[in-house]
Amino acid sequence: MLLKELEKFPQEIKSFMRIASTIAGKLGVRIYLVGGIVRDLIIKRKSFDYDIVVEGDGIEFTQLIADFLRVNFIKHQTFGTATVYYKNYKIDVATCRKEYYSCWGALPKVTPSSLRDDLYRRDFTINAMAIGLNKDDYGELLDFYNGYNDLKNGLIRVLHDRSFLDDPTRIFRAIRFEKRFGFRIEGRTLKLIKQALEEEAIKFVDEQRIRDEIVLILKEDYPPKYIRRIDELIGFSFIDKDLKLDKQDYMLFRRIHRAIKFFYQRFLKYHKLQEWLIYLLGITIKLSKEKVERFCSNFDFRRGEKKILTEIFIEKRTIHSLKRKVKIRKIISVLKPMSFEAIVFFYAYFNNKRLNKNILYFLNNLEKIKINVRGSDLEAINLKPAKIYGKILEELVYVKLEKNLLTKEEELEEAKKIFKRLIRAHSN
Ligand code: ATP
């Protein structure tokens, strides 16, 4: 079958593929477009990841293309893969591979092979199709495993019975594709998932790989439905053996979803939230701080992510004070040190009228809280000692709001007054 949709690719990609095709022909290797991009092309979904596989030496082929186009590329020698950067697009090139697994859940050993083998090692039939990019099969769909029909029938199906034992992270991927596309996990595949779970296959996977899949899931459009499906099929004992979700938690996830949308509309147009972390907070808040610390180090979260996930326990105590009518300074001193993720989380978590009013006040005044005066400005007017600059600037934030200061000059005048007050207080 010839795919007309190929014509819908951006012009730059089309010309890249034509050039790639010619170079492959000259080099005597065959190349194919594979994986998610083929699936998305068929269902007319926008996709940004272009994956090409080469029957032959993928790195040599990429080197030639990069030389010809005079663009950069990065080699990943161990996997025989390379990434080309071409006019704002990223194109991954891999050598066709065959994998075998030395033990459960371990990363596979890889040997060079043909397209058919390369597709056989993939997760689901819908992701195991290719499009020929060679002179004699340009634009032709190559579908050895019936992916096209599964895609049309909305089915998630593995290619062979050992699939989930070879790589249990595919269980999470099955959920992701099922929910994203509104598909169904096909009967036998579902049985294989259950068998793999009974055999505790997930325990044999590197936690970092599970983390990556969880993050991808929480980055999907409406994570609550994915969380529910994980709960149904797998449960959350892979995070902590006692972790169980209930009705209240699902209400919280829905509130988180609404809060994120609301905040983006109202305040955070210019501020990107790590939304997935807010949902994860909704799950991990049920554990103790110690357990979350352990979870973060086992799953190897980044330092900033770990900070948000663990500091929430202390912040949860301090933010209580904002459930009453309080002074502006209090609102700022409590909320300013917090991440936006934590603030949005608490907005949904406590769902408390007064607290949310205070949070809204804080966010409405975000711009005003930013002061223009810097330490260097204080130095320029010779205020000493420099060690109190931090205190002056902190105080200036409150005064700026209370007195509605507008210009940097006004701020500087106030800074001088604060300085005098601090010195006086210190000498008394
Ligand atoms: P998305 O649309 O979310 O980017 P994708 O299908 O492009 O989904 P990637 O994670 O980018 O997914 O992987 C690209 C391709 O690599 C997949 O389509 C699939 O063929 C293959 N793949 C990825 N992860 C696995 C896995 N764990 N086991 C087998 N094949 C995999």
Side-chain angles (χ1 to χ4, degrees):
M1 184 196 313
L2 264 178
L3 282 180
K4 291 189 294 295
E5 282 82 1
L6 217 52
E7 278 311 306
K8 302 210 175 102
F9 276 159
Q11 197 52 48
E12 293 92 337
I13 292 291
K14 282 195 285 189
S15 68
F16 180 91
M17 289 193 311
R18 286 285 175 194
I19 292 166
S21 181
T22 309
I23 291 178
K26 287 201 171 133
L27 191 64
V29 298
R30 295 184 67 79
I31 60 168
Y32 308 90
L33 207 55
V34 288
I37 184 77
V38 179
R39 174 200 69 214
D40 289 346
L41 197 66
I42 295 170
I43 56 173
K44 300 182 173 45
R45 175 177 183 263
K46 256 209 162 96
S47 188
F48 303 97
D49 298 334
Y50 295 88
D51 287 322
I52 289 179
V53 296
V54 183
E55 272 177 345
D57 188 336
I59 294 198
E60 189 187 2
F61 164 77
T62 314
Q63 174 90 59
L64 282 178
I65 291 203
D67 287 350
F68 181 82
L69 295 171
R70 293 168 199 264
V71 294
N72 289 331
F73 84 106
I74 295 174
K75 252 193 289 198
H76 316 284
Q77 201 79 46
T78 26
F79 292 108
T81 62
T83 306
V84 188
Y85 295 91
Y86 179 64
K87 303 199 174 176
N88 289 332
Y89 293 94
K90 178 174 154 275
I91 299 136
D92 286 316
V93 183
T95 305
C96 277
R97 354 184 215 173
K98 185 173 191 166
E99 290 172 351
Y100 59 93
Y101 291 80
S102 47
C103 63
W104 281 11
L107 280 175
K109 303 258 188 292
V110 177
T111 55
S113 93
S114 69
L115 175 71
R116 191 185 277 264
D117 289 336
D118 185 278
L119 295 176
Y120 191 66
R121 76 184 170 86
R122 291 174 186 263
D123 48 3
F124 308 111
T125 59
I126 59 166
N127 290 339
M129 290 180 275
I131 295 174
L133 293 179
N134 310 287
K135 209 168 172 198
D136 56 353
D137 65 1
Y138 201 91
E140 197 174 308
L141 180 70
L142 300 156
D143 180 18
F144 306 113
Y145 307 108
N146 216 9
Y148 188 84
N149 277 337
D150 282 344
L151 193 55
K152 291 289 167 188
N153 294 323
L155 291 175
I156 310 291
R157 187 196 306 271
V158 280
L159 284 100
H160 56 84
D161 283 4
R162 281 199 55 82
S163 190
F164 294 115
L165 296 177
D166 283 347
D167 182 357
T169 64
R170 291 174 186 161
I171 301 173
F172 292 97
R173 292 177 64 84
I175 292 176
R176 184 151 63 86
F177 295 121
E178 180 196 48
K179 291 292 152 203
R180 180 202 285 170
F181 298 126
F183 284 8
R184 185 165 63 79
I185 300 176
E186 166 277 331
R188 171 139 193 88
T189 301
L190 192 62
K191 227 182 189 159
L192 293 169
I193 290 182
K194 290 183 177 158
Q195 272 171 19
L197 290 170
E198 260 164 42
E199 295 183 40
E200 302 198 313
I202 288 193
K203 285 199 177 148
F204 297 89
V205 192
D206 269 356
E207 278 103 335
Q208 290 96 307
R209 296 193 58 225
I210 299 183
R211 176 206 59 205
D212 291 345
E213 289 302 330
I214 294 295
V215 172
L216 285 176
I217 280 180
L218 297 179
K219 282 184 176 173
E220 292 284 339
D221 266 356
Y222 185 64
K225 65 179 178 192
Y226 297 76
I227 298 174
R228 190 179 285 281
R229 189 63 165 144
I230 295 177
D231 202 9
E232 247 170 44
L233 270 183
I234 310 171
F236 281 92
S237 57
F238 65 90
I239 293 182
D240 180 82
K241 65 178 181 8
D242 301 319
L243 183 59
K244 292 209 168 45
L245 300 184
D246 56 35
K247 230 169 131 189
Q248 302 292 327
D249 299 315
Y250 287 102
M251 282 161 67
L252 170 62
F253 298 135
R254 284 196 290 274
R255 286 201 304 274
I256 289 177
H257 182 72
R258 284 198 296 273
I260 292 172
K261 271 177 96 174
F262 173 67
F263 278 78
Y264 269 134
Q265 279 164 8
R266 285 277 299 271
F267 313 105
L268 302 175
K269 277 200 189 111
Y270 309 105
H271 189 97
K272 191 90 192 88
L273 285 171
Q274 298 190 79
E275 298 164 37
W276 65 271
L277 253 179
I278 307 178
Y279 287 103
L280 190 56
L281 281 171
I283 298 172
T284 54
I285 194 76
K286 299 186 66 122
L287 300 171
S288 66
K289 183 167 185 257
E290 292 67 34
K291 283 187 170 181
V292 174
E293 272 165 359
R294 210 171 316 133
F295 165 64
C296 286
S297 33
N298 289 346
F299 282 65
D300 204 17
F301 281 93
R302 293 204 183 98
R303 189 137 41 105
E305 297 161 355
K306 184 173 176 185
K307 190 164 182 276
I308 292 177
L309 287 166
T310 53
E311 286 190 354
I312 204 83
F313 293 95
I314 303 161
E315 292 165 345
K316 194 174 155 196
R317 286 200 291 271
T318 54
I319 207 169
H320 262 295
S321 58
L322 301 191
K323 286 181 176 171
R324 297 185 303 271
K325 194 167 182 343
V326 285
K327 293 223 166 81
I328 292 173
R329 318 183 147 229
K330 182 75 187 169
I331 299 177
I332 295 170
S333 69
V334 171
L335 295 182
K336 199 153 180 276
M338 288 187 194
S339 64
F340 283 113
E341 283 80 6
I343 294 175
V344 175
F345 174 74
F346 286 129
Y347 186 91
Y349 182 74
F350 286 112
N351 200 21
N352 173 284
K353 251 191 175 161
R354 173 58 70 178
L355 171 67
N356 287 1
K357 209 170 162 193
N358 288 333
I359 289 179
L360 291 185
Y361 173 83
F362 175 75
L363 293 167
N364 270 324
N365 288 286
L366 262 186
E367 275 313 304
K368 293 190 205 153
I369 290 167
K370 276 193 210 130
I371 48 174
N372 302 303
V373 167
R374 307 258 158 276
S376 52
D377 298 313
L378 303 181
E379 205 176 359
I381 53 170
N382 233 350
L383 296 189
K384 278 188 190 121
K387 66 176 182 201
I388 62 167
Y389 288 177
K391 267 216 141 51
I392 297 177
L393 296 178
E394 191 188 328
E395 184 66 16
L396 187 58
V397 173
Y398 305 132
V399 179
K400 177 173 179 178
L401 262 184
E402 282 161 359
K403 296 196 176 173
N404 200 15
L405 306 181
L406 296 175
T407 65
K408 185 169 174 180
E409 287 67 38
E410 286 176 328
E411 283 181 23
L412 209 52
E413 279 314 303
E414 270 317 312
K416 286 183 207 160
K417 287 185 202 161
I418 296 167
F419 169 75
K420 277 185 195 150
R421 275 207 302 277
L422 286 174
I423 295 293
R424 217 179 300 129
H426 185 70
S427 53
N428 285 339

